């Protein structure tokens, strides 16, 4: 949780507009929230305040109220969004490339080579 001054400071780091504690109070008034300078702002309240800002800011209430600021940036690029227009068939094991299978008889057991068959007397 953060106070209104820290909330205003963090908002100011996000873009071209510098926010003050008075601006945060104005956001709270627009969101029908009673706020004072010593009130702690949690993630839920922060999100309600962020929802009053236009254009939208690139963080969530949880990120701006978190103890770590600025929010950590992933070193990996974001994965592109994927959409499926219609369900499709899934390749079965027979459709996948692999070793060719022999069509001969199954191998099993021990093979006896040509020679004399054993007889018991």
């Amino acid at each position: 949780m953060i106070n209104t001054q820290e909330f205003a400071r963090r908002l100011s780091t996000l873009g071209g507009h510098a926010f003050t504690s008075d601006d945060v109070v104005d956001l709270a008034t627009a969101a029908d929230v009673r706020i004072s300078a010593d009130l702690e702002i949690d993630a839920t309240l922060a999100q309600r305040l962020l929802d009053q800002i236009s254009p939208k800011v690139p963080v969530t209430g949880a990120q701006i109220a978190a103890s770590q600021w600025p929010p950590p940036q992933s070193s990996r690029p974001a994965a592109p969004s994927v959409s499926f227009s219609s369900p499709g068939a899934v390749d079965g094991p027979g459709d996948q490339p692999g070793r060719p299978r022999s069509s001969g008889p199954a191998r099993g057991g021990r093979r006896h080579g040509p020679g004399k068959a054993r007889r018991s007397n």
Side-chain angles (χ1 to χ4, degrees), residues 19-78:
F19 284 85
T20 66
S21 294
D22 290 338
D23 293 325
V24 175
V25 171
D26 291 342
L27 292 172
T29 302
D32 278 340
V33 175
R34 294 190 71 135
I35 195 169
S36 63
D38 58 341
L39 177 71
E40 292 290 314
I41 298 174
D42 65 2
T44 304
L45 179 55
Q47 188 61 55
R48 288 182 66 184
L49 298 176
L50 291 176
D51 289 343
Q52 301 304 313
I53 299 173
S54 180
K56 299 292 182 197
V57 292
V59 295
T60 65
Q63 288 173 317
I64 202 165
S67 59
Q68 181 180 0
W69 184 260
Q73 296 288 329
S74 174
S75 60
R76 296 178 355 187

Side-chain angles (χ1 to χ4, degrees), residues 76-98:
R76 296 178 355 187
S81 62
V82 177
S83 63
F84 297 96
S85 58
S86 64
V90 176
D91 290 340
D95 297 335
Q96 297 176 357

